[in-house]
Amino acid sequence: VEKSRLQLKQEQNDTAAKTENDLLVQCSKRFVHGETLTDRKSIFQAHLVQTTNVEEIPLLLRALKSDRKIASAAHNIWCYRVGNQANNDDDGETAAGKRLALLLDHSNAKNVFVVVTRWYGGIHLGPDRFRHINNVARILMVKEKIITGGEKKKKESTRSTKIHKKNQGNSRNTPKKKV
């Protein structure tokens, strides 16, 4: 009798774990992933999902981080605006979450959850990192018609900054731009 109770409890735990994993998979499929931007070995990528339910934000974040590559990034900066509610987190990239929130506010984006992933390349970018975080998020929101307006006119830069399409392969194999 004791053994059957333990087996039953284990089966219930297995079923609950399978159900949660299925839910995470379903949530992760809802995300749209933007192109990557590389500057001085740091890589930035935006991810977004439309939602009208604030309650599912933690689940959506867990689902996105269930991807080991995204989970291993130095920073996963996120922000959402759902109805009249908004929140953000900079994940250790000081003030980045607040700047992302300002982008959503100024662009009047609604019912959206945006995550910008940064894989740190070992070279400090200074304030350029905020520009990159906002640019990858803005480009993806325009592409997905969350906000209107085209891409801003890019300033000529003396630094090597590249935007990579998703299907171009590994960014480490991409030839370096001569400046």
Side-chain angles (χ1 to χ4, degrees):
V1 176
E2 185 62 33
K3 186 175 181 180
S4 63
R5 285 184 193 165
L6 290 174
Q7 287 175 338
L8 181 60
K9 187 167 180 117
Q10 182 62 41
E11 288 173 8
Q12 289 172 341
N13 289 341
D14 291 345
T15 303
K18 184 177 179 188
T19 303
E20 183 172 342
N21 286 339
D22 291 343
L23 190 57
L24 289 176
V25 168
Q26 287 175 347
C27 286
S28 66
K29 287 180 181 179
R30 291 176 50 197
F31 274 93
V32 177
H33 307 279
E35 298 174 1
T36 61
L37 180 144
T38 302
D39 182 9
R40 292 168 270 174
K41 299 181 183 177
S42 282
I43 301 170
F44 299 83
Q45 185 178 27
H47 321 274
L48 74 78
V49 64
Q50 292 181 296
T51 182
T52 56
N53 184 358
V54 175
E55 305 281 323
E56 69 179 358
I57 297 294
L59 180 64
L60 288 167
L61 187 59
R62 273 198 355 255
L64 184 65
K65 288 183 175 182
S66 68
D67 180 324
R68 280 185 272 153
K69 185 174 180 183
I70 293 171
S72 70
H75 307 287
N76 282 296
I77 303 123
W78 58 263
C79 180
Y80 69 81
R81 283 189 72 198
V82 177
N84 294 329
Q85 296 179 312
N87 198 0
N88 67 78
D89 182 59
D90 57 30
D91 193 29
E93 186 73 272
T94 307
K98 186 174 183 177
R99 289 174 184 245
L100 194 56
L102 284 172
L103 172 68
L104 294 184
D105 189 43
H106 290 299
S107 61
N108 204 23
K110 289 188 169 70
N111 298 329
V112 65
F113 176 50
V114 179
V115 180
V116 176
T117 301
R118 178 187 182 190
W119 291 274
Y120 182 64
I123 300 169
H124 292 286
L125 303 182
D128 286 347
R129 69 189 190 273
F130 299 120
R131 183 170 43 90
H132 298 324
I133 290 165
N134 277 0
N135 279 343
V136 294
R138 183 181 42 76
I139 289 167
L140 185 57
M141 287 191 295
V142 168
K143 181 181 171 195
E144 294 300 313
K145 298 177 177 38
I146 304 293
I147 61 175
T148 58
E151 296 181 27
K152 290 182 182 176
K153 189 174 180 180
K154 294 182 181 181
K155 293 190 325 185
E156 289 299 317
S157 175
T158 57
R159 295 193 175 99
S160 172
T161 302
K162 300 176 239 171
I163 295 181
H164 304 284
K165 299 226 187 254
K166 284 195 289 190
N167 296 330
Q168 281 185 329
N170 190 336
S171 63
R172 286 182 248 159
N173 296 331
T174 306
K176 299 236 181 214
K177 214 187 253 186
K178 298 284 182 184
V179 180

